[in-house]
Amino acid sequence: MFKNFLSPMFEKKIRLIPTSLALCDARFIPFLEIFPFKTDLYLMTSWIDFFSELSDSSSSHKKDGKLASANIESLSDVTGVSVVKISDCKSFPDLLKKNRKYSQTFVVSSETEADHLSMLYGIKNINFDRTAGVFSDKYWLGKFISVKPFEKDESGLKGRLPDGTIYQVKDEEHIPDKEITCRVSSFVKSSEGTILFLKRDKLSKRKLLWDLVL
């Protein structure tokens, strides 16, 4: 629903380039399933063949090959993702070099080695290790939520979502009982459950990317 709501607001698709290790990561498909934008996923054909052969080998990395191949096969079932197979790039750096001028290109990785390549070619990097736990909750960082705060004090506005989740909005001008669009800026776990800290987003309809990829 979140994906369907935001995707039409972009004239161009987001271009994601996964590293080889990201393809072997169990978080790869779940990440794409909640990524809120229509996406062109760039895959090197040499990697597709490599993982297919690896999964049928006796190598100690056979499990990685099977997981990567399963992830690649599952891409056809992910809404909003179009796979673009690249055959004219000899290496991953070459692929990054050819796509660095496209402003909405992002590397998807699960290892720190890709950070250096991303910096070298000026491409932003979404690293699974740094975003661990972000998607484990119902309300992740950057998610847009429409709320109608019913209480106001010196710390801002307060309220509860239909499922009982408590939230706070730092906004001194807003009048309670009026619906506003916010995004999750942080959250904490307490004895009362999860408490969300929201930030009012007046330009939500024009927002290009959520906090995770900025």
Side-chain angles (χ1 to χ4, degrees):
M1 181 172 159
F2 183 58
K3 180 184 289 186
N4 294 335
F5 174 71
L6 286 182
S7 293
M9 298 177 185
F10 296 87
E11 296 179 0
K12 296 182 179 180
K13 289 184 178 180
I14 300 299
R15 187 175 296 181
L16 295 182
I17 303 177
T19 64
S20 56
L21 291 183
L23 291 172
C24 302
D25 199 298
R27 296 168 289 186
F28 183 60
I29 295 299
F31 165 76
L32 292 175
E33 288 176 337
I34 65 170
F35 193 67
F37 310 105
K38 288 186 177 179
T39 303
D40 280 334
L41 189 77
Y42 279 48
L43 289 180
M44 295 176 61
T45 53
S46 59
W47 283 0
I48 297 175
D49 296 337
F50 169 76
F51 285 124
S52 178
E53 294 175 2
L54 186 63
S55 63
D56 293 328
S57 71
S58 57
S59 168
S60 59
H61 296 290
K62 181 176 182 177
K63 289 184 178 179
D64 292 328
K66 285 188 173 181
L67 181 53
S69 294
N71 281 339
I72 292 171
E73 186 176 346
S74 298
L75 288 172
S76 60
D77 299 323
V78 181
T79 304
V81 174
S82 298
V83 177
V84 180
K85 297 181 180 180
I86 306 298
S87 59
D88 61 345
C89 291
K90 296 181 179 180
S91 65
F92 185 71
D94 187 27
L95 181 59
L96 297 187
K97 184 178 180 180
K98 288 187 176 183
N99 288 278
R100 62 181 175 179
K101 292 183 179 180
Y102 187 88
S103 62
Q104 290 175 288
T105 298
F106 298 86
V107 171
V108 179
S109 69
S110 62
E111 72 282 1
T112 56
E113 287 78 7
D115 293 352
H116 304 295
L117 289 173
S118 299
M119 292 177 62
L120 178 63
Y121 294 106
I123 301 176
K124 292 171 183 165
N125 184 5
I126 305 171
N127 189 298
F128 290 147
D129 292 334
R130 287 198 296 268
T131 58
V134 171
F135 305 121
S136 62
D137 287 286
K138 186 176 181 179
Y139 303 105
W140 59 82
L141 298 181
K143 179 176 182 177
F144 288 92
I145 302 176
S146 293
V147 298
K148 186 183 288 187
F150 58 79
E151 184 180 344
K152 185 175 183 179
D153 59 22
E154 64 278 359
S155 63
L157 303 167
K158 296 182 178 180
R160 284 182 182 270
L161 296 172
D163 63 2
T165 302
I166 301 171
Y167 64 83
Q168 296 183 15
V169 185
K170 188 175 181 180
D171 192 325
E172 299 177 353
E173 301 177 357
H174 180 72
I175 301 173
D177 293 324
K178 182 178 179 181
E179 188 172 84
I180 54 176
T181 299
C182 302
R183 55 189 173 87
V184 179
S185 59
S186 62
F187 58 84
V188 296
K189 301 287 187 179
S190 70
S191 57
E192 298 181 79
T194 301
I195 300 178
L196 304 178
F197 295 94
L198 308 180
K199 181 177 180 180
R200 189 175 182 185
D201 201 305
K202 299 177 182 179
L203 301 178
S204 60
K205 291 184 178 181
R206 297 178 57 190
K207 189 171 179 62
L208 295 182
L209 286 171
W210 59 355
D211 290 342
L212 276 176
V213 295
L214 287 178

